[in-house]
Amino acid sequence: MTLITLEYGLSRNYAPSDLVDISGQFPVTVTLGYPTQVRRVVLEPLSQMVEDMIDAGLRPQIISGYRSYSAQAIAWSKWLEKVPDSAAIVSAPPGHSEHQLGTTIDFGSPELAEIVEDEDIEFHTYFYKTSEGMWLEENAHQYGFTLSYSREAFELTGLYYEPWHYRYIGPELATELKQQGLTLAEYLLDLNSPPCMP
Ligand SMILES: [Zn+2]
């Protein structure tokens, strides 16, 4: 499992070889017409989760999935230009985004615009207050998704709380992390910590 933080990143050459386009797999109310790709392994659990959310009366949106190193570089500079002081709150520098893995999804909610009182808003910490955000926090692990950046993430990862950002790691590990109250970064860094010398 690859650890990605502000310190540990991916090479500019890394790209998964099994990306699939998900646009045709979901209603347009979910994809919003965006041309999103994910790794093949993510497609089935993602479909199942979205279907269950819709069945529960929710309105999940998939705002982004795979982002190449160069696409992340473009996104990063766009955020830097738009909100120079807070770019790091909503984005990550190229090579330091889990979106390059192809297993990570940013979700949206139609409720967010109303809560934040900004109709153009895509990402905001208040996603955790939306029905979709609350459902994901409670249930995403059952489908193999884990919240990468918790409220406490910054100290360890250099990246801020992103309640909309979920990474697919499989139901077994996702459930273990959920039960232990750990993020993947906490789990991986702990596994890699040097042995305690007497
Ligand atoms: Zn994200």
Side-chain angles (χ1 to χ4, degrees):
M1 203 70 66
T2 312
L3 172 67
I4 299 180
T5 67
L6 207 52
E7 186 178 355
Y8 302 98
L10 292 165
S11 118
R12 75 168 56 228
N13 299 316
Y14 176 75
S17 58
D18 56 352
L19 293 169
V20 288
D21 193 326
I22 65 164
S23 327
Q25 314 275 346
F26 296 91
V28 74
T29 47
V30 173
T31 63
L32 307 174
Y34 297 149
T36 306
Q37 292 178 307
V38 296
R39 286 192 59 190
R40 188 170 293 280
V41 65
V42 182
L43 188 56
E44 202 265 312
L46 180 62
S47 302
Q48 191 60 57
M49 186 166 80
V50 167
E51 200 181 307
D52 289 352
M53 290 178 83
I54 293 172
D55 285 350
L58 300 171
R59 294 176 294 162
Q61 299 170 336
I62 296 174
I63 311 253
S64 62
Y66 171 66
R67 233 177 278 137
S68 66
Y69 184 98
S70 53
Q72 186 67 28
I74 292 167
W76 175 244
S77 56
K78 212 172 70 185
W79 284 114
L80 273 184
E81 199 174 303
K82 198 167 151 191
V83 283
D85 299 330
S86 56
I89 294 175
V90 288
S91 192
H96 297 271
S97 167
E98 289 186 321
H99 289 280
Q100 196 181 338
L101 293 169
T103 50
T104 301
I105 310 280
D106 289 335
F107 293 96
S109 163
E111 292 174 8
L112 191 61
E114 206 175 302
I115 295 175
V116 181
E117 294 180 355
D118 175 353
E119 59 181 86
D120 296 324
I121 200 83
E122 278 192 321
F123 303 117
H124 192 283
T125 307
Y126 281 174
F127 182 73
Y128 81 87
K129 293 185 178 183
T130 67
S131 305
E132 289 73 18
M134 288 190 284
W135 190 96
L136 286 166
E137 194 170 352
E138 199 60 43
N139 300 292
H141 65 280
Q142 296 171 32
Y143 302 83
F145 292 89
T146 190
L147 180 75
S148 297
Y149 306 113
S150 68
R151 290 171 177 82
E152 297 80 30
F154 182 74
E155 204 180 325
L156 190 65
T157 65
L159 299 166
Y160 290 87
Y161 178 39
E162 295 192 358
W164 59 84
H165 175 114
Y166 282 82
R167 172 170 167 183
Y168 182 77
I169 57 171
E172 207 169 296
L173 181 55
T175 300
E176 192 187 328
L177 295 182
K178 176 79 177 168
Q179 282 165 352
Q180 294 186 25
L182 293 173
T183 59
L184 182 63
E186 286 169 325
Y187 177 79
L188 293 175
L189 285 168
D190 194 45
L191 284 183
N192 291 334
S193 61
C196 191
M197 301 305 257

